[in-house]
Amino acid sequence: MLTLSSAKPVLLRGRTFFPFICTRFPRQVGAKQTMSSHAEGPEMKEFVDYLDSLKNYEKWGVPRGAGTDSCQGFDLGRMRRLMERFGNPQSKFKAVHIAGTKGKGSTAAFISNILRTEGYSVGCYTSPHIQTIRERILLGRSGDPVPAKILNCLFRRIKQNLDQAMSEENGCLSHFEVFTAIAFILFAEEKVDIAVIEAGLGGARDATNIISPSGLAASVITTVGEEHLAALGGSLETIAVAKSGIIKQGRPEGITVFIVFRLP
């Protein structure tokens, strides 16, 4: 169970931030989460095998400095080139972009459910998944995982373009970059009213951080803590800087929201 309460706006570097205090009550004793890597049906085999052939930093670990806005950081140009190949689908919907050390997935779920309750068709992109990779992409007013049939049809339709992109990028496209591209293409084709997008690592150099300022409805930073220190620069300050990379210039003041989780 969660409750939200607002706090006084905070002025930081010339921009106004509206904190929301979210009180989260502990889950029931005995509640468990399980992670399964074998839950995909046989109809997903070709798609999953393709993804498994790509670099997967969730499994292998993230290189030092990869999430920083520096020469060590992931190459966002690679992601932009991939999106250009598919007509820049990320420019065809409004987006709420979420970064933070903890609470990103929960916050994405809260915002998505609120928007669906108001009658919007919502795309939601989060990671990781629990049972099936389809859980990472939720579509429409139902909030259900993307059906395997839709995912497979899209994959087969764009596979040749993916192969060409992979060749041009010298095999450097990652599992997360390709799946993010697929999510954005689906959101554009399904004509969602708004997409709620969770950053994978940091923010500044995350593959999701290709949303244009004009398409950004809100930037959300949940919490900042000392996780992925090596990948995000080595200090709490560099982690905060990396995550704040999802904030876009030229947007109205007050559009950025900090959500802080406070346990009773």
Side-chain angles (χ1 to χ4, degrees):
M1 181 179 178
L2 299 104
T3 59
L4 286 173
S5 58
S6 61
K8 293 181 180 180
V10 177
L11 187 65
L12 180 62
R13 292 185 180 180
R15 297 180 64 84
T16 305
F17 299 89
F18 293 89
F20 285 81
I21 307 303
C22 180
T23 302
R24 179 176 56 188
F25 295 92
R27 68 176 64 179
Q28 276 189 307
V29 175
K32 294 182 179 179
Q33 284 189 324
T34 59
M35 178 70 74
S36 172
S37 59
H38 305 287
E40 309 298 348
E43 73 278 7
M44 292 280 290
K45 186 178 187 307
E46 181 184 2
F47 177 59
V48 171
D49 285 350
Y50 183 88
L51 289 178
D52 285 346
S53 71
L54 306 178
K55 293 179 181 178
N56 189 341
Y57 295 110
E58 291 177 29
K59 292 182 178 179
W60 299 353
V62 184
R64 181 176 295 274
T68 61
D69 197 12
S70 68
C71 60
Q72 292 179 296
F74 286 128
D75 180 12
L76 268 188
R78 184 169 62 232
M79 190 65 187
R80 292 191 181 101
R81 290 188 292 272
L82 180 61
M83 291 291 87
E84 287 173 3
R85 181 178 290 274
F86 295 108
N88 287 313
Q90 78 279 7
S91 67
K92 297 175 182 176
F93 51 81
K94 295 291 183 181
V96 175
H97 201 186
I98 303 171
T101 302
K102 297 289 187 184
K104 292 181 296 180
S106 298
T107 302
F110 304 151
I111 294 173
S112 297
N113 287 335
I114 290 168
L115 291 169
R116 289 190 197 100
T117 300
E118 292 298 314
Y120 292 99
S121 175
V122 181
C124 184
Y125 180 55
T126 60
S127 60
H129 59 276
I130 296 174
Q131 292 184 320
T132 167
I133 198 168
R134 296 186 295 107
E135 295 168 11
R136 298 186 181 210
I137 302 175
L138 308 182
L139 283 175
R141 290 182 169 84
S142 67
D144 292 331
V146 57
K149 183 177 181 180
I150 290 178
L151 204 52
N152 279 329
C153 286
L154 175 61
F155 169 65
R156 289 169 183 150
R157 179 156 45 90
I158 68 173
K159 184 177 182 299
Q160 185 175 357
N161 264 329
L162 287 175
D163 290 341
Q164 291 173 353
M166 187 66 69
S167 176
E168 291 177 10
E169 299 292 348
N170 298 313
C172 289
L173 285 171
S174 70
H175 178 289
F176 189 74
E177 288 168 334
V178 169
F179 202 71
T180 298
I182 287 171
F184 287 1
I185 293 169
L186 276 174
F187 293 159
E189 292 189 349
E190 294 293 320
K191 295 181 171 59
V192 300
D193 296 317
I194 191 164
V196 180
I197 298 164
E198 175 191 354
L201 175 80
R205 292 296 185 94
D206 189 74
T208 62
N209 198 27
I210 54 170
I211 303 161
S212 66
S214 61
L216 187 65
S219 299
V220 180
I221 299 177
T222 58
T223 60
V224 177
E226 293 182 341
E227 285 191 1
H228 305 294
L229 273 170
L232 295 175
S235 71
L236 196 60
E237 181 180 1
T238 58
I239 292 172
V241 168
K243 294 183 186 301
S244 67
I246 67 169
I247 299 170
K248 299 293 191 294
Q249 292 183 350
R251 300 305 294 148
E253 289 188 359
I255 202 67
T256 304
V257 181
F258 281 92
I259 297 181
V260 180
F261 287 88
R262 183 176 60 197
L263 292 174

